[in-house]
Amino acid sequence: MTAYQKCILCGETHDISEVLTSCPSCGGLLDVEYEWDKLPVPKSLKEFEKKWSERSVPTSFSGVWRFHELLPFVPKDKCKTIGEGQTVLQQADKVAPYVGMNAGNLYLQYEGLNPSGSFKDNGMTAALTHANLVGAKRAACASTGNTSASLALYASLTGLKSVVFVGSGKIAYGKLSQALDYGALTLQIDGDFDDAMARVREVCPKLGIYLVNSVNPFRLEGQKTIMFRVLESLRWQVPDWIVVPGGNLGNSSSFGKAFHELKELGLIDRVPRLAVINAHGANTLYEMYEKNGARWNGGNPDRPLIEGYFKRMNDENRRAHTIASAIEINRPVNFDKCLRALEWCNGLVREVTDQQILDAKAQIGQGGLGCEPASAASVAGAKLLREEGVIAPSDRVVCILTGHLLKDPTATVAYHSGQKKYHDEVLAPRGVTTTQFANNPVPVPNDVDAIVRAIEG
Ligand code: F0G
C-alpha cells in the first residue's frame, strides 16, 4: 500500500480503507502519508503544465486532481470531480496601497470561484472520493456554513445523503440557502459551531456516518492543491508569505503539509512563511501561539499548557463572537496540525478586529474580487504585519480569499447601506463603528431629471 494513514503524535499507521478521524491509540490527528519512492512523482513542478492541454479529461481539468501525483491515495479513475479549483491568483495592485505593499507584490488567491463558492470544494472532492472508496452511504459535517454548502453539493452529485449540523442563527444566508437547496438534512443545533462540531463527532460513529470535517485527513489532501495552484500561477516561484484566515485551522494545516512535502520531494528549494489570521473574537490560536507560547516542538507539543487552556475555556463557557461567521470558532479541531504547519513554515499568528476585517473587505471589493468577511481577515492581517514591519513592501505576499462575496450579503449590505437598523443590529454589537469605505446606495425619485442629477453630481 503506497498510501496510508499515520498519527501525527504517536506515529501509528492505518490502512486508507479505515474510516478514522483520530488515532485509535492516542487520539492524535491523522495524516495521509505516501511511500513516495514507489510512486511516479514528477521531477519538476513544471511537468504539471502538460495537464493544461488535456482539459477534456475531467481529472486534468480539475484544479485539484491535475495534481493527482501529489495526493495519490486513490486511482485516478475513482476521483469524484466536478471541475473544482478553477480559481485565480490576482495581482492585486488596487489593494496593494491599502496593505502598504509595492505594486506587483500583493496577490489574492480567489477561492470564491469554486463550484459552491468557497475553498471547501478542494477538500470535499477528496473527502467524497474517499467516502465513495470505502462505500459510505451518508456523510455529515458541522459547519459555519461553507463546509455544509460544499458537502451538500458534492453529496447530491455523488449520490450520498448529507447531514449538516449548523449552529442555529450562526450561519450566513447564502450558505444556509445552499445546504437547503442541494437537499442536505439540515440540523439547526441550539448552540454554536463548537457545539455542533462536538455533537457531530459523537453522532457519526454511533450511526456509521462518514465525517467530512477537516479532522478527515483525506479532505486536507485536497486543500493542499490551493498552494499548488498558487505556485503554478507564480510560474512555480515560491512567494515570501502565505496569509490565511484561521478558523478550524484545516487550511493552514494542509498548506504546511503541502510545502513540507514539496520541499522533501525536492520540488521547491524553500518554503514560504505562513501567517494565520484570527478574528479578535475567535482568537484561540493567537492567544495560544503568540501569548502562551504553544509550539509543535518537533512533535512534542506542550499538552498540559494546551489542555489547560481549553479546559479553562470550557469551564468559563467562552464563546466565539465575530462578524466573520465562517471563522467564529473557539475550539479549532486542527490545533496540533496548525502548530506543526507554523513550525514547518516559520509562521506567526495575528488577530484582527471586525472593524479591520470589514474595512479590508470593502477594499478587496473595490479591487474587483468580492469576498466574505472571514476571507478579508487575510488582507487585514497582511496590512497589520506591514504596519509592524514584519512584512516588507517588497515581499511577495499571497492572501487567500476563502469565500465568495455573495455568501454573506448581510455583512456587506450592513457596511455599505448606512442604515441605522444595520448599524444597531449588525455592526455596533461587533464593535464596527465606522464605515470609511462604504459605498452608500442613493435614494432617487422615479424621475429622469432627478436620476440624471444623481449620476452627474
Ligand atoms: N474562510 C472561510 C470562508 C471559511 O468558511 C472557513 C471555515 C475559514 C476561512 C477557516 O478555514 O477552518 O480551514 O481554518 N469554515 C468552516 C465551515 C469551519 O464550516 O465552513 P479553516
Side-chain angles (χ1 to χ4, degrees), residues 79-84 114-116 121 124-125 128-129 132 149-162 181-184:
C79 297
K80 296 285 173 193
T81 175
I82 54 167
E84 54 288 317
N114 273 293
S116 79
D121 298 343
M124 210 52 72
T125 180
L128 284 203
T129 291
N132 197 263
S150 184
L151 168 60
L153 172 57
Y154 275 83
S156 69
L157 283 160
T158 52
L160 267 77
K161 284 206 171 356
S162 57
D181 215 40
Y182 296 135

Side-chain angles (χ1 to χ4, degrees), residues 42-241:
K43 297 268 174 302
S44 150
L45 286 170
K46 276 201 163 71
E47 287 185 33
F48 287 104
E49 291 176 17
K50 286 184 202 139
K51 307 277 181 75
W52 296 346
S53 61
E54 298 168 10
R55 291 173 66 82
S56 58
V57 180
T59 46
S60 294
F61 178 70
S62 164
V64 171
W65 297 110
R66 77 167 171 268
F67 299 101
H68 178 262
E69 288 81 355
L70 298 173
L71 55 150
F73 66 83
V74 58
K76 250 191 209 167
D77 60 346
K78 294 274 191 295
C79 297
K80 296 285 173 193
T81 175
I82 54 167
E84 54 288 317
Q86 309 304 320
T87 60
V88 295
L89 184 76
Q90 182 202 51
Q91 184 183 308
D93 287 350
K94 280 186 84 176
V95 187
Y98 176 71
V99 175
M101 301 292 304
N102 293 345
N105 286 53
L106 178 70
Y107 292 82
L108 302 178
Q109 173 69 14
Y110 191 37
E111 289 298 313
L113 289 178
N114 273 293
S116 79
S118 87
F119 75 91
K120 303 285 179 181
D121 298 343
N122 293 286
M124 210 52 72
T125 180
L128 284 203
T129 291
H130 182 251
N132 197 263
L133 213 61
V134 298
K137 299 280 175 279
R138 293 185 293 186
C141 68
S143 185
T144 53
N146 282 326
T147 306
S148 53
S150 184
L151 168 60
L153 172 57
Y154 275 83
S156 69
L157 283 160
T158 52
L160 267 77
K161 284 206 171 356
S162 57
V163 186
V164 306
F165 291 47
V166 299
S168 190
K170 289 288 184 186
I171 81 172
Y173 262 27
K175 306 173 190 183
L176 179 62
S177 65
Q178 290 179 289
L180 297 175
D181 215 40
Y182 296 135
L185 171 60
T186 304
L187 304 178
Q188 296 186 296
I189 310 289
D190 182 17
D192 64 8
F193 173 83
D194 293 332
D195 297 314
M197 188 71 230
R199 296 298 82 74
V200 79
R201 292 188 85 167
E202 288 162 357
V203 170
C204 280
K206 221 186 248 285
L207 300 182
I209 300 178
Y210 187 91
L211 182 64
V212 300
N213 279 104
S214 49
V215 285
N216 179 320
F218 297 91
R219 209 190 98 186
L220 293 193
E221 288 303 286
Q223 287 173 214
K224 292 192 306 192
T225 65
I226 302 170
M227 292 302 103
F228 303 156
R229 295 198 300 276
V230 165
L231 294 179
E232 181 180 55
S233 301
L234 295 173
R235 301 315 301 262
W236 312 112
Q237 287 176 11
V238 178
D240 297 305
W241 288 92

Side-chain angles (χ1 to χ4, degrees), residues 48 56 109 127 207 237 262 271 278 364 369 394:
F48 287 104
S56 58
Q109 173 69 14
L207 300 182
Q237 287 176 11
L262 291 182
V271 297
N278 274 164
I364 295 162
L369 297 181
S394 56

Side-chain angles (χ1 to χ4, degrees), residues 217-390:
F218 297 91
R219 209 190 98 186
L220 293 193
E221 288 303 286
Q223 287 173 214
K224 292 192 306 192
T225 65
I226 302 170
M227 292 302 103
F228 303 156
R229 295 198 300 276
V230 165
L231 294 179
E232 181 180 55
S233 301
L234 295 173
R235 301 315 301 262
W236 312 112
Q237 287 176 11
V238 178
D240 297 305
W241 288 92
I242 298 290
V243 189
V244 63
N248 227 7
L249 306 179
N251 254 348
S252 43
S253 298
S254 78
F255 296 174
K257 187 170 188 279
F259 287 117
H260 184 72
E261 286 175 349
L262 291 182
K263 181 90 184 354
E264 297 270 292
L265 291 169
L267 291 169
I268 53 175
D269 54 9
R270 66 181 180 96
V271 297
R273 293 193 69 184
L274 182 67
V276 184
I277 314 298
N278 274 164
H280 171 65
N283 63 356
T284 300
L285 182 69
Y286 174 72
E287 287 280 322
M288 284 299 289
Y289 188 81
E290 298 290 343
K291 299 279 183 64
N292 290 283
R295 291 291 182 277
W296 173 243
N297 289 329
N300 294 299
D302 187 340
R303 289 256 72 90
L305 174 77
I306 296 167
E307 277 156 26
Y309 184 89
F310 282 106
K311 183 174 180 311
R312 277 196 306 284
M313 184 188 286
N314 287 338
D315 290 348
E316 293 165 16
N317 194 25
R318 256 185 274 148
R319 296 287 149 186
H321 189 56
T322 166
I323 200 156
S325 58
I327 52 174
E328 194 173 47
I329 297 171
N330 260 358
R331 293 156 182 80
V333 295
N334 285 297
F335 190 80
D336 285 355
K337 271 192 184 174
C338 181
L339 290 183
R340 185 179 67 171
L342 289 164
E343 182 170 299
W344 279 341
C345 296
N346 187 18
L348 48 76
V349 185
R350 291 293 182 269
E351 60 170 356
V352 289
T353 63
D354 285 4
Q355 180 75 61
Q356 290 169 308
I357 286 174
L358 287 193
D359 288 341
K361 183 175 124 49
Q363 290 288 307
I364 295 162
Q366 286 173 29
L369 297 181
C371 67
E372 63 168 288
S375 311
S378 61
V379 171
K383 177 176 164 62
L384 179 64
L385 289 165
R386 265 296 301 123
E387 285 161 3
E388 291 177 1
V390 175

